[in-house]
Amino acid sequence: MPDRVKIFDTTLRDGEQSASVSFTNDEKFQIAKMLEKLNVDCIEAGFAAASPADFDAVARIANEVRGTSIASLCRAVPNDVEQGWAAIQGAEDPRLHVFISSSDIHIAHQLRSGREEVLQQAREMVAKAKGYVSNVEFSPMDATRSDPDFTYRLLSECIAAGATTINIPDTVGYAIPEEFAEFINGIFQNVKGIDNVTLSVHCHNDLGLSTANSLAAAAIGARQIECTINGIGERAGNASLEEIVMGIKTRPDFLDVECGINTEHLVPLSRMVADYSGMHVQPNKAIVGLNAFRHQSGIHQDGVVKLRENFEIMDPKAVGWSEGSQFVLSKLSGRAGFKARIEDLGYELDTEELASAFLKFQELADKKTVVDDRDLEAIMSDRLGHVAEAWHLESLNVTTGTSATPTASITLRGPDGRTHTAAETGTGPVDAVYRTIRQITGMQDRLVEFSVQSITEGVDAQGEVTIRIDIDDSTYTGRASDTDILVASAQAYMNAINRYHQGAVKATRASTSLTE
C-alpha cells in the first residue's frame, strides 16, 4: 500500500502574508471550515503572537474546527511559544510550529547572531513547546541556502529536544527539483533520529518550481507537504495545494504515495480564497483556473467528445467543477432554499449572518432575473469581508456623459453619527466619486489599484470592484459588488477606508512576518 503524504495548509498564515491581503476573522473561520471538509491533515491557523486579532482567529479555529491538527507558528522566542499554546489549547490535536533561520546570511544579517546561539535558541524553544504539546514542528528558515552540515546538526538537536515533525523550507524559492531531492536525501542520511519523525517540505515559488520541488521531495521520502490554496503567499507565493494534491492523485504510478483530500471541494475553496483575498485566479491556472478544462481547438474538442481522457488527465467533476450548469435562485426563492445552497457552497452561518445575507440576496434578486452560484459567492464575500463602519454610504448620485462634466453628490454617515454631504467633479465618474468621498472623510490616500470584474454574464450582471489604497506606507484593500458599478466602486472605497480605521491590516504582524 502506498505511503500517505500529509497535507499541511498554511493559507491562513503564509497565504495571508501575500502583499495587500488581510482576511477578517470571519473569513479565516469560513476558510478553516472548508479546509476541514477538504480533510487536510493540519491547518496552520496563523501567527498567534503577532497581534490580538491573530490570536483570536487562531483560538476560534482551534476551538471550533475538528478532525485536523491546528497549528500556530512561533518564532524561537518564549513569548511566541507561550502565546501559541494559549491560542491552540482548545484544539483536538494542537501543534506548535517553531522556526529560526539557519542560513549564514540570515544568521548574520537578520538575526545578528551566531551559529551556536541559533542552536541553543532552537533547542530551548523546541523543548519549551514540547512542555505544552506532544506535536511539535521545527523549521530551519532558509534551509536550502544553509550549510548542510550545520543544518544536519541543528535538526538532530531539535529532534532530541522533542520535535516530531521536521520541516525543510525553501524560503526564497531557490532550489531546483533535482537539487532539492538531493538535499532531502542528505537529511535522511545524516540527521540523527530522522526515521522517527515526519519529514516535511515548504516550498516557495520564486522560480515557478514550488510544486515540482514539493513532489520531488515526496518521491524521495518527504511525508508532509506545506502549501496554500491557489498558491498564495509571500512574493510569488507557495506551492499550490490543488496542484500538489492532484499531482499525487493523478500520478500514483510514479510517486507511489497517496493523500486523504476530498478533492470535490477544491474549486469552491479556491473561489472562496480568491474572493476573500482579492487575488483572482488567472484563467490558465492548473486545476482551478477557468480554462483548466476548456477546449478550443477543433481537434481537442473532437477528441474529448469521443473520449474525455483523450485530452483530460483529470475528471473536472472530481475537483469540484460542475458540467457547466449552475444552481440558480430568483426573487421567488425562500430562505430555506437560499440557506441550503449557501451551505452547499461551503459557508456556515449563524442566524444573524444568515438573515443579513438573505436580505442582500433579496435586494439583488429584485434587480436580476436569476441569481446563480457566483452571485451567492459575491454576497458572501461582501458580508464576511464586512468591517465595522466608521463611515457609511447613505446615498450616491452621479451625472456623466459625453457632453457633461462627471459630477458626484454623496452623503455619508460619519463616526459621529451625523450625515455629511458634498459634491465634486472628476475626470470620470469613478474619479468624481472618490474625490467626493475624500472631501468628506478627509482621507489622504493614494489609489494604487482599481479593478472591475463581471461576476456573471448578461446586462444585469454584478460588477465586483477591488481597490487598494496606500496610507502612510500601508496598503488597505476594499471590495464590493453591485449591479451598479459606480455603487460598487463607492462601496469598495468605503470598505478600504473602514479597514484603515479598524486597523484590519496589522502593523504588528508586518514587523514579524519574515517567516519561512
Side-chain angles (χ1 to χ4, degrees):
M1 179 179 293
D3 286 347
R4 174 165 173 161
V5 171
K6 298 176 183 178
I7 301 299
F8 175 112
D9 182 87
T10 184
T11 303
L12 299 177
R13 198 277 299 170
D14 204 339
E16 198 189 22
Q17 290 176 201
S18 303
S20 305
V21 170
S22 180
F23 299 121
T24 68
N25 282 5
D26 283 340
E27 290 170 339
K28 290 181 180 181
F29 180 70
Q30 292 294 331
I31 292 171
K33 292 298 287 184
M34 276 292 279
L35 289 168
E36 180 184 38
K37 292 180 180 180
L38 199 66
N39 199 37
V40 299
D41 297 279
C42 184
I43 299 172
E44 189 163 56
F47 195 160
S51 72
D54 272 12
F55 182 97
D56 291 343
V58 174
R60 182 184 181 188
I61 292 167
N63 288 327
E64 299 189 43
V65 174
R66 291 294 177 258
T68 181
S69 180
I70 306 297
S72 176
L73 188 72
C74 311
R75 293 169 300 174
V77 296
N79 181 67
D80 279 24
V81 176
E82 292 160 7
Q83 290 294 304
W85 164 241
I88 65 169
Q89 57 185 307
E92 279 187 344
D93 180 16
R95 178 185 300 195
L96 290 173
H97 182 184
V98 178
F99 77 95
I100 194 169
S101 290
S102 59
S103 67
D104 288 335
I105 188 172
H106 278 203
I107 293 172
H109 299 287
Q110 184 182 26
L111 299 180
R112 299 186 186 280
S113 184
R115 287 186 176 184
E116 291 303 318
E117 290 80 5
V118 165
L119 287 166
Q120 180 180 353
Q121 197 173 340
R123 283 194 309 266
E124 290 178 353
M125 290 306 102
V126 167
K128 183 176 179 68
K130 191 70 170 183
Y132 292 122
V133 297
S134 60
N135 191 349
V136 177
E137 179 167 337
F138 173 73
S139 293
M141 185 162 70
D142 204 23
T144 51
R145 294 195 298 171
S146 301
D147 174 65
D149 290 334
F150 176 69
T151 304
Y152 303 153
R153 182 184 171 194
L154 176 62
L155 298 181
S156 298
E157 294 193 13
C158 285
I159 291 172
T164 52
T165 297
I166 291 295
N167 177 55
I168 305 303
D170 184 23
T171 302
V172 293
Y174 181 71
I176 303 298
E178 183 178 4
E179 172 190 43
F180 192 54
E182 290 176 1
F183 187 67
I184 297 300
N185 191 48
I187 290 170
F188 278 123
Q189 293 178 354
N190 294 283
V191 173
K192 295 178 183 178
I194 195 66
D195 292 337
N196 300 319
V197 302
T198 299
L199 183 63
S200 172
V201 293
H202 177 117
C203 298
H204 278 261
N205 204 40
D206 297 71
L207 294 176
L209 295 171
S210 58
T211 296
N213 282 328
S214 298
L215 293 178
I220 204 72
R223 290 299 175 258
Q224 177 178 282
I225 298 177
E226 307 197 357
C227 41
T228 63
I229 300 298
N230 298 338
I232 66 172
E234 288 272 9
R235 305 178 313 279
N238 290 266
S240 165
L241 182 147
E242 57 274 10
E243 294 174 12
I244 296 295
V245 166
M246 294 314 296
I248 291 171
K249 295 272 189 180
T250 305
R251 295 303 309 275
D253 58 315
F254 180 80
L255 296 170
D256 196 29
V257 295
E258 61 183 10
C259 64
I261 297 300
N262 298 324
T263 60
E264 67 272 15
H265 299 296
L266 288 173
V267 169
L269 183 50
S270 168
R271 289 175 173 174
M272 180 184 286
V273 171
D275 283 342
Y276 292 170
S277 66
M279 298 180 69
H280 297 293
V281 175
Q282 72 267 26
N284 63 327
K285 170 73 167 67
I287 320 299
V288 296
L290 185 63
N291 290 347
F293 296 96
R294 285 182 168 182
H295 306 273
Q296 181 165 304
S297 163
I299 294 174
H300 285 227
Q301 291 171 350
D302 177 68
V304 170
V305 168
K306 291 174 177 173
L307 180 67
R308 179 184 60 78
E309 288 81 358
N310 276 327
F311 289 102
E312 290 182 358
I313 61 173
M314 295 167 281
D315 183 348
K317 290 185 289 184
V319 299
W321 286 107
S322 67
E323 294 179 297
S325 61
Q326 296 230 338
F327 193 105
V328 296
L329 300 172
S330 72
K331 65 181 180 180
L332 301 178
S333 301
R335 184 186 297 256
F338 173 78
K339 179 176 183 290
R341 191 54 192 160
I342 286 294
E343 290 176 348
D344 286 344
L345 292 173
Y347 300 94
E348 297 195 12
L349 306 183
D350 60 30
T351 302
E352 184 178 342
E353 290 169 337
L354 177 63
S356 176
F358 184 63
L359 180 61
K360 178 69 174 176
F361 159 72
Q362 289 179 311
E363 293 172 355
L364 179 60
D366 281 337
K367 301 176 185 178
K368 294 193 65 176
T369 304
V370 296
V371 178
D372 70 17
D373 287 353
R374 293 166 293 178
D375 291 310
L376 297 179
E377 288 165 349
I379 289 172
M380 296 310 303
S381 178
D382 285 350
R383 299 314 302 168
L384 293 170
H386 179 77
V387 294
E389 290 189 314
W391 291 94
H392 175 75
L393 179 66
E394 292 283 348
S395 66
L396 165 68
N397 291 286
V398 179
T399 58
T400 189
T402 57
S403 59
T405 300
T407 304
S409 177
I410 296 176
T411 298
L412 303 180
R413 186 177 70 248
D416 56 4
R418 298 167 54 193
T419 58
H420 307 262
T421 301
E424 281 286 343
T425 60
T427 56
V430 174
D431 184 46
V433 168
Y434 284 10
R435 285 174 182 266
T436 307
I437 293 174
R438 285 195 186 102
Q439 179 182 326
I440 295 174
T441 61
M443 295 297 297
Q444 299 293 320
D445 65 276
R446 181 173 63 91
L447 182 66
V448 295
E449 182 180 335
F450 177 90
S451 66
V452 181
Q453 181 170 344
S454 175
I455 294 173
T456 56
E457 301 80 17
V459 295
D460 61 352
Q462 287 195 92
E464 182 180 63
V465 174
T466 301
I467 73 163
R468 304 189 201 279
I469 59 175
D470 184 85
I471 305 172
D472 299 329
D473 295 324
S474 292
T475 303
Y476 300 86
T477 301
R479 62 176 185 273
S481 58
D482 197 274
T483 52
D484 186 326
I485 200 64
L486 294 178
V487 172
S489 298
Q491 290 174 336
Y493 190 30
M494 299 303 299
N495 186 243
I497 289 173
N498 287 323
R499 284 179 184 271
Y500 163 72
H501 281 281
Q502 183 171 294
V505 178
K506 307 171 217 37
T508 52
R509 189 190 63 228
S511 66
T512 61
S513 66
L514 183 55
T515 55
E516 293 199 353

